[in-house]
Amino acid sequence: MKKNRQQCAVVMALVVAVCGSAQAETAPGEARLEQVVVTATRTEQDLATAPGSISVVTKEEMEKRTITTVDEAINTIPGVMTTRGKGMMDRMSAITLRGIPGQSRTLVMLDGITINSPYAGSVVSVGVSPGSLERIEVVKGPASSLYGGYAMGGVVNMITRMPEKQELTLTGGYGFALDSPNGMQNTRRVAASYGDKYLGRIKLYLHNDYLATDGYRSDSNVQSSKPTAGITGWEPTTDYTGATRYRLGDKGKNGAWQDNLTAKAELELPSNTKLKLSFMKSTGEYSYDNPATYLRNSSGAEVWSYGTVREASFLGGNGGSDQHLYGFGAETELATVKYKLNLGYLDQMSSWGTTPTSAAPPNGGTRNGGPGKLSDTPAAAFNADIQASIPILDKHLLTVGGAYRSGWSHSREHNLSNWQDENSKGALSYESKGTDRTFALFAEGEIALLDKLTLFAGFRQDWWETFDGYANQVGSVGYPQTYDSRSADAFSPKGALVYRPFDTTTFKLSGGKAFRAPTVYDLYRTWTTSSGTTYAGNPNLKPETVISWDASVSQRLWQGSKFTATYFENYISDLIYSTSTTPTWKDKANAGKAESRGVELEAEQKFDSLLRLFANYTYTDATIRENSAVPATVGKRVTDVPEHMFNLGADLDYGSFGATATGRYVGKRYSSDTNTDTVNGVQGSYDPYFTVDLKLRYKITAWATASLSVTNLFDEHYYSSSLAPGRSCYAELGFKF
């Protein structure tokens, strides 16, 4: 660890030395148009002078790449890890920042409204259409001082479009596997939007996006039990620890569809007053088609079961979700004070999945139906947020406000007479539910200490409470159970310094504390795996916390160039972990401490508007420092955090022609907390990989553009638990009027 710190210090020293010798003024002919961001301070700030580590992905940048889901739009930002194992079929892809694992430790917002589920903190990332967005702002580092829970690693804020004049867009595309056995098959997309401004003060915007694919065969049936004598066709393999396994077949092509609708209205009134209404509807499903067995008996007939292996092991379940998001916003200015009100209601009406029962027929699932289980977890959350930004002596700014959030979820499991039909519900077999709410007050000051030195300092106090906890394992001893209400509070301070001695140089130093309250899933949900291990919630959990700091320098070295280096450290306490009570029973506990530290390096070179080159690198050392639940994890790497990542790319615009190429490397990750999953290239492993995506664009007319994309250009074969998508092609035609 000492060696790593020394390496980081050397890198920072070299960067500072370069900065000191660089030119102190803007290069001749270089544009000085700064991107305006709002997430870092809740007020408008130039990107260069906003505190902390901030990245922005614009609509134009998204259009130049092959972006299917919003998390793919930010996966080339340093310090950002997105886990999307099998394309759009992976409905719960996680976004994590700077080595702090788990989606529930990264706050995700849409137009300032939290969309982390109140059930487990997850995000249905396929539920937001990239085409509806104006930009995505990513703020890395603790953000609870302004936004409360979930924001341990940082904040991802997706900001939707609102046009200034009449516009109409129509887009259609089709994709297919390009000479790859695991390429995305029969992918189709249809999207349309309309926006206008009426009477000089009323704006309307509608966007609908439908995306579907037949997918590919992403999941194999791998078993530890060797096929009995006389059965052929199986393939020898291993699990991710190297233990002998047998590949028997696959679960069929894993396809999915998604339909997203966005509707917005805005009314502009005198005194810089605006009223905003928004609605988002997201519906989608995933499924598997015909499974395949490689097994044959002595007569050449298909074999679907032997010994303890059942036909159900070849079957993949179906599932989907239906989600609505309602938003209302108001802002005005009275006597130089700006006021903002933001209300949001997230209604996750369903989040369901079916699985076949693993037993011998007629008590188990088969290709033709049979018994199964339906799990569904509807959830909802209400958010209210109000703030006032008060100028002080024309040089300083004070932002104060309050927030309220209340969420609930209700998990149910029903027996199914036909696992392929979610409507064939029978008796209730399991149920759990709970509610939580949080009140908060916050304040942040922006203080101009010197002309070129600004201090940002603030805090937030949150009061959290959970109640109505309930669980019932129907027919089991000790159930049903009800749980007493509990409460806790969290104080989250943060401070930052921004020093800009020259127009071309910016130094930033920031630090703070953040927290995450346990979710309803952590507190009350109990479930059992197919192997018989039970993971139980713990109603006595307390919030997790993290103390973090970072330092960065950003420098324009010459015309069109920019270089940024950042060093960061995170210290997590009361990490929620599953501890083994018995060999088959695991309870959650505040058992862990973890640390992550690392370096982010970014470089960009623009050649006027013709060519842009970029590259970045992230080193992250994330380890478990204490874990009374599982002592063997101490000193091991935090799960799902690669040590090395880098991205590089080029974007060319030449007349009517354009091309964008991006390369992405992600190092080895572990899914096992003891880091025993060292074998790559097998089902369940998380392999290191390097992929290249290419998109070619041609502007046919002023209002029509054609594009051709190839993802995973070199057909990299790797696993991200499931087999990742292979080389795929996608052609699109878009019209803008």
Side-chain angles (χ1 to χ4, degrees), residues 333-346:
E333 185 173 349
L334 300 174
T336 73
V337 178
K338 294 182 179 180
Y339 299 91
K340 289 185 180 180
L341 171 68
N342 207 16
L343 305 177
Y345 182 68
L346 177 67

Side-chain angles (χ1 to χ4, degrees), residues 415 427-431 470-481:
N415 296 323
L428 179 72
S429 59
Y430 176 81
E431 181 180 20
Y470 175 83
N472 185 15
Q473 191 84 42
V474 178
S476 298
V477 176
Y479 287 95
Q481 295 179 345

